[in-house]
């Protein structure tokens, strides 16, 4: 982990937030390469959820959330972690994360600590007009259910997908970007007919597992864990977590919950009109019935919900961890390489002029860069250090799959040298073919 954290900072993936003022715990900033990696992961999720299917719609809802939403979702009362004070060192810990050196007699009894951040809305700060920063993106999906049903032609089963920030005042943020106070989630709420929920739950677990494998996470580093008893969230009938062997241990990457009819039921008025099976929270504030007509029976039903909820930051950490390698080369030297799957690489290609100060070579390199950039496959850069070996090493270390060198032969014969990050093989090709070569490479 330490080596990875150092590389992330050195190469511009991830920085500690507010570092020049000593840092703010549990917050990180994504630098020039981190933002590309994160966007690529999010876009891959979005494409697989929204574009490649016809039964899922997208949403981008507000972060600031009406307190009634989080009251009726149960978060005001139950979104807590057990907090323990250590009387000797004065620090606070989550009860399952007490350091070994703390002795039992120095610890207080656990008490509930609500993880939601509150903020004041509007110009008056008297505590009466506050909103929450959402602790999960899901609630905005539920409260927009009727809007989306009314404005699209979806019928059951169908889903709503959203990617966005969530905030939790974690008692002990730690392990780099694994447990932070501000993070992003990729959440799908998939609405199904009651009775078909268990079958859909299984389907989504399989589908999400396959998706992570396609992001370069090997199957043997993943375990499925069934959450039981007291560990289940207040809304869940059953939850299966996708656990990944992070550098610090086996921990949750994504949770797939069967949230039943709890959320839509709790946010609805006239709850008695429906055959709601879960123990909903009584609602006198909502003005909507979050139900949909069953096309077969013509009855209005509150659907069940299957929710695959993945953390973007935990995904980025897992992808970085799998890609990170220190390889021994045949000549005895070592190289650090990030072997990302091609579609996730922050930089898709670096165009490297052989001579830093040769105008013709540099101009040619810029022209090639612009041609490749127009393919819209992701970021392409010029790497004009004048030192080919150093440029290759740098781009191995940031996971750029292709380096394209422009030299005197490019000017004389029209050829460029393409070097592959993984095989380190170099191909000389005609520059007229470079766009096709590049596009085909990322189609594979
Ligand atoms: P944990 O048990 O690790 O605290 P959780 O069960 O509370 O996680 P969920 O409420 O299921 O997490 O949230 C869905 C996903 O959001 C998680 O699988 C994780 O990837 C991500 N996530 C949750 N909390 C954090 C956090 N503090 N920092 C980064 N990602 C998080």
């Amino acid at each position: 982990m330490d080596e990875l954290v150092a590389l992330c900072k050195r190469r511009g993936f991830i920085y500690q937030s507010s570092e020049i003022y000593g840092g703010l715990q549990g917050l990180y900033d994504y630098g020039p390469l981190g933002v590309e990696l994160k966007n690529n992961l999010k876009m891959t999720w979005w494409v697989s959820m929204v574009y490649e299917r016809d039964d899922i719609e997208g949403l981008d809802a507000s972060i600031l959330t009406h307190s009634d939403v989080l009251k009726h979702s149960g978060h005001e009362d139950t979104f807590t972690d057990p907090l323990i004070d250590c009387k000797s060192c004065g620090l606070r810990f989550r009860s399952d994360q007490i350091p070994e050196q703390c002795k039992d007699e120095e610890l207080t009894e656990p008490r509930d600590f609500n993880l939601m951040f509150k903020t004041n809305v509007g110009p008056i700060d008297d505590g009466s007009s506050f909103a929450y920063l959402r602790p999960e993106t899901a609630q905005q999906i539920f409260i927009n259910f009727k809007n989306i049903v009314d404005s699209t032609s979806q019928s059951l089963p169908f889903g709503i997908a959203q990617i966005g920030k969530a905030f939790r005042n974690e008692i002990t943020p730690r392990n780099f970007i694994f447990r932070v106070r501000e993070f992003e989630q990729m959440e799908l709420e998939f609405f199904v007919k009651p009775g078909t929920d268990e079958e859909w739950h299984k389907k989504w677990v399989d589908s999400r597992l396959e998706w992570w494998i396609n992001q370069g996470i090997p199957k043997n580093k993943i375990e499925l864990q069934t959450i039981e008893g007291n560990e289940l969230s207040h809304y869940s009938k059953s939850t299966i977590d996708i656990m990944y062997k992070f550098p610090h241990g086996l921990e949750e990457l994504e949770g797939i919950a069967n949230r039943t009819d709890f959320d839509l039921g709790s946010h609805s008025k006239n709850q008695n009109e429906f055959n709601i099976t879960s123990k909903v929270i009584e609602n006198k504030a909502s003005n909507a019935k979050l139900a949909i007509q069953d096309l077969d029976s013509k009855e209005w039903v509150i659907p069940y919900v299957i929710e695959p909820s993945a953390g973007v930051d935990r995904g980025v950490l897992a992808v970085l961890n799998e890609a990170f390698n220190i390889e021994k080369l045949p000549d005895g030297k070592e190289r650090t390489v990030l072997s990302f799957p091609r579609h996730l690489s922050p930089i898709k290609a670096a165009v490297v002029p052989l001579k830093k100060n040769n105008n013709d070579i540099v101009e040619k390199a810029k022209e090639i860069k612009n041609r490749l950039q127009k393919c819209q496959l992701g970021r392409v850069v010029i790497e004009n250090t004048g030192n080919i070996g150093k440029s290759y090493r740098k781009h191995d270390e940031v996971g750029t799959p292709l380096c394209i060198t422009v030299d005197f032969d490019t000017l004389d014969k029209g050829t460029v040298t393409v070097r592959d990050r993984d095989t380190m093989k170099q191909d000389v090709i005609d520059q007229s073919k470079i766009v096709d070569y590049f596009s085909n490479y990322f189609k594979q």
Side-chain angles (χ1 to χ4, degrees):
M1 182 79 114
D2 290 346
E3 276 175 292
L4 191 60
V5 173
L7 183 145
C8 282
K9 179 168 183 201
R10 187 170 71 247
R11 291 300 189 189
F13 282 91
I14 299 161
Y15 315 116
Q16 167 79 61
S17 187
S18 302
E19 196 178 12
I20 64 165
Y21 289 106
L24 203 48
Q25 221 199 344
L27 298 170
Y28 286 90
D29 298 338
Y30 286 77
L33 298 186
V35 64
E36 298 296 336
L37 174 60
K38 195 178 180 193
N39 283 344
N40 291 342
L41 191 68
K42 290 193 286 184
M43 199 56 198
T44 308
W45 186 90
W46 193 261
V47 167
S48 77
M49 288 293 181
V50 183
Y51 296 176
E52 289 178 354
R53 302 180 60 115
D54 299 316
D55 55 357
I56 297 183
E57 304 287 343
L59 177 74
D60 182 17
S62 69
I63 287 171
L64 290 178
T65 306
H66 195 302
S67 59
D68 270 345
V69 173
L70 291 154
K71 178 176 163 191
H72 293 95
S73 67
H75 284 79
E76 272 194 348
D77 286 337
T78 56
F79 197 61
T80 57
D81 269 347
L83 173 82
I84 286 185
D85 290 276
C86 174
K87 288 182 246 171
S88 140
C89 66
L91 295 177
R92 291 175 159 180
F93 305 100
R94 206 166 98 170
S95 65
D96 59 344
Q97 293 170 357
I98 311 262
E100 277 171 19
Q101 62 270 27
C102 287
K103 298 198 188 74
D104 280 355
E105 60 272 20
E106 292 164 350
L107 301 174
T108 62
E109 285 298 306
R111 60 183 196 282
D112 286 341
F113 173 74
N114 196 299
L115 300 182
M116 290 197 292
F117 284 99
K118 259 184 184 176
T119 192
N120 188 56
V121 178
I124 300 161
D125 187 7
D126 63 358
S128 65
S129 52
F130 69 92
Y132 291 108
L133 302 191
R134 64 186 181 198
E136 58 176 21
T137 71
Q139 291 308 321
Q140 270 83 351
I141 297 183
F142 299 131
I143 59 174
N144 274 294
F145 177 78
K146 194 170 160 11
N147 286 336
I148 292 179
V149 168
D150 289 350
S151 56
T152 66
S153 50
Q154 296 290 355
S155 55
L156 294 183
F158 80 99
I160 304 174
Q162 179 168 226
I163 301 177
K165 292 261 181 170
F167 301 80
R168 296 183 187 178
N169 197 3
E170 295 280 355
I171 298 168
T172 36
R174 56 177 168 178
N175 297 319
F176 194 33
I177 52 171
F178 175 81
R179 184 176 300 288
V180 284
R181 291 186 167 134
E182 174 176 341
F183 54 98
E184 272 187 278
Q185 292 183 313
M186 306 183 279
E187 292 197 306
L188 168 70
E189 305 303 324
F190 197 77
F191 303 99
V192 303
K193 269 191 205 177
T196 64
D197 49 306
E198 289 179 13
E199 185 191 325
W200 275 107
H201 195 192
K202 278 201 199 82
K203 275 193 201 167
W204 276 112
V205 171
D206 292 347
S207 159
R208 297 302 305 144
L209 201 58
E210 192 186 326
W211 188 84
W212 281 113
I213 291 167
N214 289 336
Q215 310 318 310
I217 312 295
K219 209 171 171 186
N220 63 6
K221 299 280 279 293
I222 295 179
E223 279 178 30
L224 293 181
Q225 201 171 83
T226 305
I227 309 299
E228 288 172 298
N230 285 347
E231 296 289 308
L232 273 176
S233 305
H234 61 278
Y235 50 72
S236 177
K237 167 174 158 187
S238 72
T239 296
I240 293 180
D241 282 350
I242 298 182
M243 309 289 283
Y244 166 71
K245 286 187 184 131
F246 284 96
H248 62 277
L250 185 70
E251 295 238 38
E252 177 180 336
L253 177 61
E254 169 162 354
I256 300 145
N258 181 345
R259 293 182 80 131
T260 69
D261 49 8
F262 173 81
D263 298 274
L264 292 183
S266 292
H267 287 305
S268 287
K269 68 171 180 181
N270 302 358
Q271 293 162 327
N272 294 338
E273 283 179 16
F274 303 97
N275 195 10
I276 300 175
T277 58
S278 61
K279 221 171 139 233
V280 288
I281 296 173
E282 193 189 345
N283 200 324
K284 296 208 173 98
S286 165
N287 60 21
K289 297 176 196 172
L290 303 183
I292 187 169
Q293 198 171 26
D294 182 335
L295 293 183
D296 300 327
S297 70
K298 302 286 178 250
E299 264 179 49
W300 285 85
V301 290
I302 294 195
Y304 264 46
V305 181
I306 306 301
E307 175 197 68
S309 171
V312 176
D313 310 76
R314 289 187 189 180
V316 166
L317 181 57
V319 166
L320 276 166
N321 184 45
E322 286 308 322
F324 183 75
N325 274 311
I326 297 176
E327 285 179 4
K328 267 244 166 328
L329 298 174
D331 62 5
K333 289 191 184 139
E334 279 184 346
R335 73 162 180 161
T336 303
V337 58
L338 287 181
S339 307
F340 292 122
R342 294 171 185 187
H343 66 285
L344 294 181
S345 286
I347 298 173
K348 299 294 184 236
V351 184
V352 188
L354 179 74
K355 293 276 177 214
K356 191 173 165 179
N357 300 322
N358 183 308
N359 226 13
D360 293 343
I361 289 183
V362 174
E363 284 308 309
K364 190 77 206 163
K366 283 186 187 161
E367 182 203 311
I368 291 174
K369 186 242 143 157
N370 290 340
R371 265 158 57 199
L372 297 181
Q373 194 59 72
K374 286 209 178 85
C375 299
Q376 297 202 5
L377 288 165
R379 189 165 182 206
V380 179
V381 298
I382 286 273
E383 189 59 58
N384 196 12
T385 58
N387 180 330
I388 298 289
K390 218 166 142 190
S391 298
Y392 288 168
R393 273 198 300 284
K394 171 178 169 186
H395 282 281
D396 284 346
E397 214 179 90
V398 303
T400 309
L402 298 174
C403 282
I404 297 156
T405 300
V406 175
D407 55 20
F408 291 106
D409 278 350
T410 316
L411 303 179
D412 296 344
K413 301 188 213 154
T415 57
V416 291
T417 306
V418 184
R419 179 210 184 245
D420 184 288
R421 174 196 71 200
D422 297 328
T423 61
M424 290 186 279
K425 252 185 65 201
Q426 303 192 12
D427 277 346
V428 176
I429 65 166
D430 198 276
Q431 58 137 325
S432 62
K433 301 212 172 81
I434 191 69
V435 168
D436 281 349
Y437 184 101
F438 181 67
S439 317
N440 288 335
Y441 186 89
F442 287 98
K443 273 195 202 128
Q444 283 167 28

